Amino acid sequence: MATLLHIDSSVFPGETSSSRSVTDAFRKAWGEQHPEGRVIYRDLAADPVPHITATAHLAGLAPASERTPEQSAALAARVELIEELEQADAVLIGAPMYNYSIPSTLKTWLDNVILAGRTSGETPSAQGTPVVVVASRGGSYAPGTPREGFEFVQNYLEAVLKGSLGLEPEFIVPELTMAPRVPAMSELVPLYHASRERAFVEAATKAKDLAERLAV
């Protein structure tokens, strides 16, 4: 029975969020392939995890015998998140671009699950787990565009998910999501619709491909 860890971080609910719409499409396609599978869901906007504190950070570095009761409690909260990642056969992350970067709630989740000697280091505990990231954005930051140099979502998540956690990230990028709302972007609306449709197709395709990989 395959387990999917699904994380959303958009502040917008339901279909008003481009990233949530696409992660929902992926999850539905995943469910068709794994009707008896398990989904661990975290909505970081509705139920944010606590920011990492000095106590929580130091607890991960201290030997168990030397931890204070406060450190043990703080580490237990982190371990709950870590175990969800370790139990997952695949991970799905909705990561909209806010001010050129990821939502602070998603950064906080990452700060909690990155634990040296366990999830990061020479042998990360979730190493090799496939991750599909829906990286939506209001404009376009693709190579060759004027704002190419302001793309800090894919670059950052590639470094953290792959470089620190040893995961295998793939990206789906619905772009120009602000075009229908901003008059100055009206000429880009057709490109927005094309990007959106492409994202839904990619979500369904990646869910099916991933299911086939895990079934081997």
Side-chain angles (χ1 to χ4, degrees), residues 125-210:
S125 56
Q127 185 169 16
T129 303
V131 183
V132 174
V133 180
V134 179
S136 59
R137 62 276 315 274
S140 179
Y141 301 80
T145 61
R147 293 195 174 185
E148 175 184 356
F150 291 87
E151 206 298 306
F152 302 114
V153 172
Q154 286 180 258
N155 292 343
Y156 170 72
L157 290 177
E158 180 81 22
V160 174
L161 296 175
K162 186 175 182 179
S164 294
L165 294 170
L167 309 179
E168 297 181 357
E170 294 183 80
F171 292 87
I172 299 173
V173 185
E175 61 179 11
L176 300 168
T177 62
M178 293 299 294
R181 307 175 192 176
V182 178
M185 298 176 67
S186 60
E187 64 180 19
L188 300 175
V189 169
L191 294 178
Y192 153 73
H193 285 298
S195 177
R196 180 179 172 84
E197 290 305 313
R198 186 165 57 249
F200 283 123
V201 171
E202 287 185 35
T205 300
K206 289 183 185 297
K208 181 179 179 181
D209 290 347
L210 201 48

Side-chain angles (χ1 to χ4, degrees), residues 11-181:
V11 298
F12 298 102
E15 294 182 358
T16 60
S17 164
S18 293
S19 64
R20 287 180 187 271
S21 295
V22 178
T23 60
D24 185 60
F26 180 101
R27 182 168 166 175
K28 286 179 179 177
W30 171 273
E32 292 172 358
Q33 302 296 319
H34 297 284
E36 297 182 5
R38 178 188 178 207
V39 176
I40 303 170
Y41 182 60
R42 282 199 174 266
D43 186 336
L44 298 179
D47 188 18
V49 300
H51 282 283
I52 195 155
T53 62
T55 300
H57 175 70
L58 294 174
L61 303 177
S65 60
E66 298 178 12
R67 291 178 197 137
T68 66
E70 293 78 10
Q71 286 178 330
S72 295
L75 184 60
R78 294 182 65 188
V79 168
E80 179 182 354
L81 300 173
I82 288 169
E83 288 179 342
E84 289 177 351
L85 175 62
E86 293 172 337
Q87 293 165 11
D89 296 293
V91 181
L92 172 65
I93 299 175
M97 177 186 282
Y98 293 159
N99 299 315
Y100 309 120
S101 187
I102 62 173
S104 61
T105 51
L106 181 54
K107 176 63 165 61
T108 301
W109 178 82
L110 288 166
D111 287 341
N112 275 277
V113 300
I114 297 173
L115 182 59
R118 181 164 176 172
T119 59
S120 69
E122 293 186 5
T123 54
S125 56
Q127 185 169 16
T129 303
V131 183
V132 174
V133 180
V134 179
S136 59
R137 62 276 315 274
S140 179
Y141 301 80
T145 61
R147 293 195 174 185
E148 175 184 356
F150 291 87
E151 206 298 306
F152 302 114
V153 172
Q154 286 180 258
N155 292 343
Y156 170 72
L157 290 177
E158 180 81 22
V160 174
L161 296 175
K162 186 175 182 179
S164 294
L165 294 170
L167 309 179
E168 297 181 357
E170 294 183 80
F171 292 87
I172 299 173
V173 185
E175 61 179 11
L176 300 168
T177 62
M178 293 299 294
R181 307 175 192 176

